Amino acid sequence: MAGFLYGASTASYQIEGAVHEDGRGPSIWDTFAHTPGRVRNGDTGDVACDHYHRWAEDVALLAGLGVGAYRFSIAWPRVVPAGSGAVNDKGLGFYDRLVDGLLERGIEPVPTLFHWDLPQALEDEGGWLDRETAYRFAEYAGHVAGRLGDRVHRFITLNEPVVHMAQGYAWGTHAPGRTLGLGALPVAHHQLLGHGLAVQALKAAGAREVWLTNNCTPVWSADEDRAAAAVYDGFHNRLFNDPVLLGSYPEFLLPGLEPHLRDGDLDIIRTPIDALGVNYYNPTLVGTASDGGDLPFEIRPVEGYPTTAFGWPVVPDGLTELLTGLQETYGDALPPIYITENGCSAEEGVADTFRVDYLQAHLGAVRAAAEAGVDVRGYFVWSLLDNFEWAEGYAQRFGLVHVDFDTQERTPRDSYRWFRDQCAKTSSS
Ligand code: BGC
């Protein structure tokens, strides 16, 4: 696929470490990981891949891979340690050096501004339950663009607002660990409002492109009718795609959202984006709830497919289904798509045939979607390095590059060499 952009992705809290360095403020993930019982084995991101000190080595690994772009995230608490107010020049300085290092190697930096590490000070005021956080996010986006915008041309606002809402505020399995169930809905609206305000701030600062990265899943129905599946689709996919692309929320969610909606919010949220980032891991099988709880659906296991080390089903065709489905649903309102994450956890060794097969099949699925007419322009592997896998700590390994967390030694896996060959084929075609 000529002109297709290959990349690799990471996120700040998952790789950087150096949590007390150069004026970084605490984030909700520092608090969560240091709360006993929250993360497997008591792991934390205090050191992670020590990327804050080893970034040059990691940029060299990216260069060896031959990717055209690197998607990383910027830690809000490094840039604005208290979430609002004073800007930390040293924090911005780190990303400044990283961006220059990437550009020297011919790799385009594609930073995400929020990959879940909210400054703790903002959480203390209510986090994303509080509308004010949206405005603080846009201010922070403006600071980043002011410093990096002369060299960074594409920014991503949020990573997977659905996962942050669900796991962080509804179920409590991620930071900030709140268990509000449906009471988490305002978190969706405030993140989306923050997204729209940030698009405007970034564009005002001269950004050429702004993307939003959503986690999307094809929803399979376990029932004859799709009633329960449609509700799940509404929560997981449409709640985050409809307002951005169409300027409206799914109707059945309005009663929960309306108390938080103000005039003009939806216009801000649908400020045009230049691409939709899609993170795909697996389809979701949904049936009618059997427990009579708040929600009419329940998630069932997808059976009959191989599974990753995490136990997630491997369904490459699901990615084609997802992309063609987005095209059908949104038509002309759908901007170009980049797969901003796709990958798998697999066992630790460097001979990772499982991952090579996984990536090959998923790239094939992207190709099939392109042939079916979807404007999909790039594919970023999750992840460059083994890293801090949230509630799983270091127990799940997603890297093209193996990391020995005792010595910080990096060892490229077979999948690294395989992906390098893919990138080389495209740049020579
Ligand atoms: C997240 C990553 C995470 C990956 C694998 C995505 O939901 O954006 O941060 O590591 O999935 O779980």
Side-chain angles (χ1 to χ4, degrees):
M1 290 186 279
F4 193 78
L5 186 64
Y6 283 106
S9 289
T10 62
S12 46
Y13 189 74
Q14 295 183 271
I15 64 166
E16 285 179 359
V19 291
H20 300 298
E21 231 153 301
D22 290 339
R24 177 187 180 277
S27 82
I28 57 173
W29 267 97
D30 298 290
T31 309
F32 189 79
H34 279 274
T35 307
R38 294 300 210 171
V39 175
R40 187 183 292 269
N41 302 321
D43 290 342
T44 73
D46 287 3
V47 177
C49 306
D50 195 30
H51 170 79
Y52 194 77
H53 301 114
R54 295 168 196 264
W55 64 269
E57 186 182 348
D58 295 336
V59 169
L61 284 165
L62 287 160
L65 200 50
V67 284
Y70 173 46
R71 173 178 179 248
F72 57 99
S73 83
I74 294 182
W76 187 346
R78 283 197 197 282
V79 176
V80 189
S84 64
V87 176
N88 176 28
D89 191 62
K90 284 190 172 165
L92 278 171
F94 169 69
Y95 298 107
D96 213 27
R97 293 191 293 281
L98 175 63
V99 161
D100 284 344
L102 289 163
L103 291 171
E104 272 163 29
R105 302 280 200 150
I107 301 164
E108 182 184 350
V110 183
T112 301
L113 292 168
F114 181 66
H115 201 125
W116 307 346
D117 42 0
L118 188 77
Q120 181 63 42
L122 291 183
E123 177 57 26
D124 297 341
E125 304 286 315
W128 287 107
L129 289 163
D130 181 5
R131 185 180 171 91
E132 284 302 307
T133 298
Y135 297 94
R136 302 295 84 79
F137 179 62
E139 287 161 14
Y140 148 66
H143 297 314
V144 173
R147 179 73 172 255
L148 305 180
D150 55 336
R151 286 151 294 152
V152 172
H153 304 306
R154 306 199 241 202
F155 289 90
I156 300 175
T157 56
L158 308 173
N159 177 68
E160 301 188 348
V162 64
V163 175
H164 191 54
M165 173 192 77
Q167 301 224 44
Y169 289 83
W171 312 332
T173 44
H174 279 184
R178 313 220 20 193
T179 48
L180 301 171
L182 283 174
L185 263 184
V187 170
H189 182 61
H190 296 148
Q191 285 185 95
L192 288 163
L193 181 64
H195 154 78
L197 292 165
V199 177
Q200 297 180 352
L202 292 163
K203 284 286 167 97
R208 275 184 220 155
E209 288 193 15
V210 185
W211 309 352
L212 166 68
T213 280
N214 273 338
N215 178 301
C216 301
T217 182
V219 182
W220 292 355
S221 177
D223 308 326
E224 290 267 304
D225 71 57
R226 281 191 56 87
V231 173
Y232 185 81
D233 185 43
F235 273 104
H236 191 114
N237 297 313
R238 290 183 46 217
L239 173 56
F240 297 91
N241 289 329
D242 284 15
V244 174
L245 302 179
L246 306 175
S248 57
Y249 278 119
E251 214 162 297
F252 80 96
L253 289 170
L254 280 177
L257 289 163
E258 254 160 2
H260 309 278
L261 259 173
R262 299 208 188 144
D263 279 354
D265 282 3
L266 281 164
D267 292 330
I268 295 170
I269 293 172
R270 80 153 158 208
T271 307
I273 52 172
D274 301 284
L276 180 66
V278 168
N279 291 357
Y280 170 75
Y281 288 94
N282 50 253
T284 309
L285 181 67
V286 171
T288 305
S290 44
D291 64 1
D294 274 3
L295 296 169
F297 62 79
E298 65 187 21
I299 296 173
R300 310 252 174 93
V302 170
E303 276 157 4
Y305 292 88
T307 52
T308 70
F310 221 140
W312 298 353
V314 179
V315 189
D317 289 353
L319 180 50
T320 313
E321 179 186 333
L322 173 68
L323 296 174
T324 53
L326 285 168
Q327 182 65 54
E328 263 165 46
T329 307
Y330 297 103
D332 291 345
L334 187 67
I337 289 178
Y338 290 83
I339 306 302
T340 38
E341 282 181 33
N342 176 244
C344 63
S345 62
E347 59 201 66
E348 186 171 348
V350 294
D352 57 344
T353 317
F354 185 89
R355 183 173 289 105
V356 171
D357 292 347
Y358 181 102
L359 297 176
Q360 185 157 33
H362 284 78
L363 263 175
V366 172
R367 229 170 268 131
E371 276 156 21
V374 180
D375 185 4
V376 48
R377 299 189 181 180
Y379 176 93
F380 291 66
V381 175
W382 184 269
S383 181
L384 175 67
L385 304 167
D386 289 342
N387 59 44
F388 176 81
E389 176 48 36
W390 308 116
E392 290 294 309
Y394 298 98
Q396 299 293 341
R397 293 176 176 267
F398 279 85
L400 296 175
V401 175
H402 173 272
V403 177
D404 178 329
F405 290 105
D406 293 326
T407 62
Q408 291 295 342
E409 191 185 347
R410 275 90 161 126
T411 312
R413 292 193 166 102
D414 287 353
S415 57
Y416 175 96
R417 286 175 279 279
W418 179 83
F419 196 57
R420 179 192 62 196
D421 294 346
Q422 287 301 308
C423 298
K425 265 193 234 158
T426 307
S427 47
S428 60
S429 70

